[in-house]
Amino acid sequence: MSRVGSGHQRNASGDFAACRQFFANGRPPVLAPQPTQRALCYDAFAILHSGASKTPVYVAEKLNRAAVADADEVRTNRFFADARLRPAERATLGDYKGSGFDRGHMAPAGNMPTAQAMAQSFSLANIVPQAPQHNQGAWRVSVEAATRKYAAKASGDVYVITGPVFLPSIDESQGIGPGNVRVPRYLFKLVYDEDRNRAWVHWHRNDNATRAAQPISYEELVRRTGIEFLPGVYPRG
């Protein structure tokens, strides 16, 4: 089952050597590598991208009081296909046109600390097809805004990993557009407070009817996805 500077780095493969600061202890999640997965570094986040789904596998950020206070950029809304990805492995603007789905950010535009980071957040590599009312409602308010609010009050760094979950598999998931960009059944956002060694996970059905829900534990996220998102870390719930 498939679950899930002067600009950003140009290398579209590798092991995040240029942007390990976005991962707790500098260690990215552990999962079986796939031929079309690419590691992408941006100014304010890192993405493991899947050419099979044409979406992120996950997107990693590091938030803290200073970062949230600095996140006051004007939203650009200029979506673009990331040229570092092979044409056959990336989403395009045409895939989302008339699809009925929003272009849902995994690393939110509202978290971006600079104009350049804001522009980079509109890469389609950072986007999944998301139910519009969910994107603009429960996800935006009870997940994204709540996470920013928490990080703004935290005593240290808060590591955040966000991504889609495709069930029963990527190939069996709905596709949109000429590129067949896959639609996830669920979205998750893992929040890890390093100072308190606490973690929790927002787990939402990608559906217009979805409302705010109690977070699940980190252990439950690992069980559901089969991915160790915080290798070497044993957080409390």
Side-chain angles (χ1 to χ4, degrees):
M1 291 170 108
S2 185
R3 312 293 204 190
V4 264
S6 58
H8 44 249
Q9 303 298 317
R10 296 187 180 278
N11 184 20
S13 62
D15 61 354
F16 297 108
C19 55
R20 296 218 162 198
Q21 70 271 24
F22 299 121
F23 303 98
N25 296 329
R27 297 179 61 184
V30 176
L31 67 164
Q34 300 294 327
T36 64
Q37 287 177 354
R38 312 290 176 206
L40 302 172
C41 294
Y42 298 79
D43 288 5
F45 54 94
I47 294 175
L48 183 65
H49 184 269
S50 168
S53 63
K54 300 185 179 178
T55 70
V57 178
Y58 61 75
V59 180
E61 304 172 81
K62 182 175 74 173
L63 301 179
N64 51 42
R65 290 182 184 181
V68 174
D70 205 23
D72 57 359
E73 298 299 320
V74 176
R75 186 180 172 99
T76 62
N77 286 317
R78 296 192 185 98
F79 291 91
F80 64 95
D82 198 310
R84 292 176 295 169
L85 297 169
R86 297 167 183 157
E89 297 177 1
R90 69 188 186 218
T92 67
L93 295 174
D95 288 321
Y96 284 87
K97 186 176 182 180
S99 70
F101 288 91
D102 276 6
R103 294 168 291 195
H105 282 69
M106 296 290 88
N111 290 2
M112 298 301 118
T114 67
Q116 181 162 280
M118 171 64 77
Q120 291 174 1
S121 77
F122 285 86
S123 164
L124 292 178
N126 181 42
I127 302 298
V128 303
Q130 188 170 2
Q133 292 176 36
H134 179 233
N135 180 39
Q136 299 163 34
W139 187 257
R140 179 177 63 85
V141 176
S142 67
V143 178
E144 292 179 336
T147 300
R148 271 193 298 275
K149 184 177 180 180
Y150 182 88
K153 297 179 179 180
S155 57
D157 292 330
V158 176
Y159 292 90
V160 180
I161 299 179
T162 310
V165 179
F166 301 94
L167 290 172
S169 69
I170 289 175
D171 290 343
E172 295 172 278
S173 297
Q174 177 185 354
I176 61 168
N180 212 21
V181 178
R182 300 298 180 166
V183 179
R185 182 174 295 184
Y186 296 96
L187 299 176
F188 69 86
K189 188 179 289 289
L190 162 63
V191 183
Y192 172 60
D193 184 328
E194 185 176 51
D195 277 3
R196 299 180 66 192
N197 193 36
R198 287 193 61 241
W200 57 95
V201 183
H202 299 283
W203 178 275
H204 279 203
R205 179 94 183 210
N206 184 19
D207 188 279
N208 282 326
T210 296
R211 300 293 180 263
Q214 283 294 110
I216 64 173
S217 69
Y218 172 64
E219 291 77 11
E220 180 64 14
L221 175 68
V222 173
R223 188 190 70 77
R224 293 183 185 186
T225 63
I227 300 173
E228 193 70 60
F229 287 97
L230 299 170
V233 175
Y234 304 96
R236 295 180 290 109

